[in-house]
Amino acid sequence: MEGNERLKNLALSETGFLFDPSTGNTYTLNETGIIVLKLLKEGNSKDEIVKVILSEYDVEIEQLERDVTDLLIQLQELGIYQ
């Protein structure tokens, strides 16, 4: 299953519980991770995700870009996102 297709099939609760039905693995996301994953599932790019979070939270853009990049790398390593 392609990574982006797998991304669409993930089950995400409002509390950050993430279930990958293709593997049976579960994960826990923090508030930022929840937002990023929801936006990814909607088809947003990394730049669009950063814009959305910047508009809603008081955060330094450099730190936010690093955090989003780190999460995307983790999702790629898990085969969830390409």
Side-chain angles (χ1 to χ4, degrees):
M1 182 180 298
E2 292 248 348
N4 291 342
E5 183 65 29
R6 208 167 138 195
L7 180 68
K8 292 177 184 176
N9 291 326
L10 296 174
L12 177 63
S13 76
E14 293 298 317
T15 60
F17 180 79
L18 177 64
F19 175 68
D20 182 350
S22 68
T23 63
N25 292 333
T26 59
Y27 309 94
T28 304
L29 299 174
N30 64 16
E31 183 178 352
T32 304
I34 295 168
I35 295 167
V36 170
L37 197 62
K38 283 181 179 180
L39 292 169
L40 280 175
K41 288 179 71 150
E42 292 173 3
N44 290 282
S45 69
K46 176 187 170 190
D47 291 338
E48 292 167 329
I49 291 168
V50 169
K51 278 184 182 179
V52 168
I53 295 173
L54 279 174
S55 72
E56 296 181 18
Y57 294 90
D58 182 25
V59 61
E60 294 291 325
I61 188 168
E62 295 83 10
Q63 181 64 50
L64 176 59
E65 287 177 338
R66 279 192 302 270
D67 291 347
V68 170
T69 298
D70 288 346
L71 179 57
L72 294 179
I73 289 169
Q74 290 175 358
L75 293 174
Q76 286 172 337
E77 289 174 352
L78 295 169
I80 293 173
Y81 175 74
Q82 294 181 347

